[in-house]
Amino acid sequence: MSRTMPSGTPVRVRGRHRAETPRRLARINAGTTSGGRYRNAVVAASLGIVAALSSGAAASAGGVAPAVSSDPVSASGPQISATSDATVDFVRPSVTSISKAQLDQQAKDAAAAAKAELLKTQPVNDPSGAQAYASSQLAKFGWGQDQMQALVKLWNLESDWTTTATNSSSGAYGIAQALPGNKMNSAGDDWQTNYRTQIDWGLGYIKDRYGSPSNALAFHYSVGWY
């Protein structure tokens, strides 16, 4: 808009332009005020992303990776920790005492099992094996090997060192010709088939009744039995 001055020269009025400037500032200020929070949030988010990227780059440069827990327990619930001086109690199993009778029974069972295993490989009638065993047992009864010759003669007369030898008239049984045969059960319940059991019983019988195999042989020569 122009006005004509009295002199006839048109002059531009500048006041209107100045008057419009505060209105524009007001609109800018108003926009800044209403959208300030939004812009601030955007700026803050941008700064956060930049900081995260910077932190990751620094970790990569230093060879340090973020710690990630693979333990489902620690990830899902509280962890349980204990101090170094914590006391730990252990449950000790109770020990049941074993009586002497039980130990004796266990030893007896083990001996019986060993005899049973031996019988599986040992011939029932084995004169040479029986004599070798008898010779190894003499010292247990306080005799020397000089008594072995008398013992061999004595039991040759009685049974020829045969485990299953049976006297048809009297019923005497075994190498030592025990009468009745079940007397030898005191040395072992396998007395019918195990020459070791028979010899253990026979040597004990000679020791108790005659004192030595030579004395038993002398008695046998005199009466025909011992």
Side-chain angles (χ1 to χ4, degrees):
M1 179 178 180
S2 299
R3 290 185 182 181
T4 304
M5 298 300 291
S7 61
T9 303
V11 178
R12 182 177 299 274
V13 180
R14 299 180 182 276
R16 184 176 178 179
H17 177 71
R18 294 193 190 96
E20 289 178 354
T21 301
R23 293 180 183 179
R24 292 179 181 177
L25 292 175
R27 285 198 300 270
I28 292 173
N29 290 336
T32 303
T33 303
S34 60
R37 294 181 181 179
Y38 172 76
R39 284 193 295 271
N40 290 341
V42 172
V43 171
S46 300
L47 292 175
I49 293 173
V50 172
L53 292 175
S54 299
S55 176
S60 300
V64 180
V68 179
S69 174
S70 61
D71 187 357
V73 176
S74 61
S76 61
Q79 296 182 356
I80 299 174
S81 60
T83 59
S84 59
D85 58 347
T87 302
V88 180
D89 293 331
F90 295 94
V91 178
R92 297 182 178 179
S94 59
V95 179
T96 304
S97 60
I98 301 176
S99 64
K100 184 179 182 300
Q102 290 175 318
L103 291 174
D104 291 343
Q105 184 61 44
Q106 290 178 1
K108 184 177 180 181
D109 293 343
K115 279 188 175 182
E117 288 297 321
L118 182 63
L119 283 176
K120 293 178 181 179
T121 58
Q122 173 183 291
V124 174
N125 292 312
D126 182 11
S128 60
Q131 289 180 18
Y133 176 74
S135 177
S136 69
Q137 300 301 302
L138 293 179
K140 291 184 179 180
F141 294 88
W143 305 323
Q145 287 297 315
D146 60 309
Q147 292 295 316
M148 188 61 195
Q149 185 177 3
L151 184 64
V152 170
K153 291 180 178 179
L154 175 65
W155 283 348
N156 273 338
L157 293 171
E158 291 291 328
S159 64
D160 286 330
W161 291 80
T162 303
T163 305
T164 58
T166 304
N167 188 307
S168 58
S169 60
S170 67
Y173 186 83
I175 294 174
Q177 287 292 284
L179 182 65
N182 59 12
K183 281 183 177 181
M184 294 184 289
N185 190 58
S186 61
D189 55 8
D190 57 350
W191 58 271
Q192 291 177 298
T193 56
N194 192 342
Y195 63 71
R196 294 170 181 257
T197 300
Q198 292 184 4
I199 290 171
D200 289 342
W201 181 87
L203 294 178
Y205 172 79
I206 292 173
K207 177 71 174 181
D208 294 341
R209 190 173 181 90
Y210 302 103
S212 68
S214 59
N215 292 339
L217 179 61
F219 184 86
H220 190 286
Y221 281 151
S222 65
V223 299
W225 54 272
Y226 82 114

